[in-house]
Amino acid sequence: MSKTSDHIERLQKMRAQQVEERRAVSLKYEEAAKSFEVIEKISEIQSRIDALDRAIADEKNAPKESRSWVGAV
């Protein structure tokens, strides 16, 4: 497996973790007193999922030359 594939796989695992967190948080919605807090938290989680989706797409579409610096920091 290439470094790029490893990186994409890590991003996908991170995304899956965020989806599981969103599902867990949504179960708390039944408590009406916390509904605004739950919706706010879901919105934050969804923003992270969207960012990970963009990162995954970027990695899949980036030319190999632009990937050579990954891990160099």
Side-chain angles (χ1 to χ4, degrees):
M1 192 176 280
S2 72
K3 287 183 181 182
T4 301
S5 295
D6 290 343
H7 188 61
I8 291 171
E9 187 176 315
R10 276 193 306 274
L11 289 168
Q12 289 171 331
K13 286 180 183 178
M14 292 168 60
R15 185 190 188 284
Q17 290 171 338
Q18 293 301 305
V19 169
E20 288 303 316
E21 182 179 351
R22 182 184 62 199
R23 289 175 180 161
V25 169
S26 71
L27 294 175
K28 297 177 184 176
Y29 185 75
E30 293 174 7
E31 298 175 39
K34 293 186 175 183
S35 63
F36 179 77
E37 294 169 10
V38 170
I39 292 169
E40 192 172 70
K41 181 67 175 174
I42 288 173
S43 178
E44 291 171 17
I45 295 167
Q46 187 62 46
S47 292
R48 292 192 298 260
I49 292 169
D50 293 343
L52 287 163
D53 284 342
R54 290 189 305 272
I56 291 166
D58 185 60
E59 287 296 323
K60 288 180 177 179
N61 295 321
K64 290 185 184 248
E65 301 84 44
S66 68
R67 297 179 186 148
S68 62
W69 63 271
V70 173
V73 178

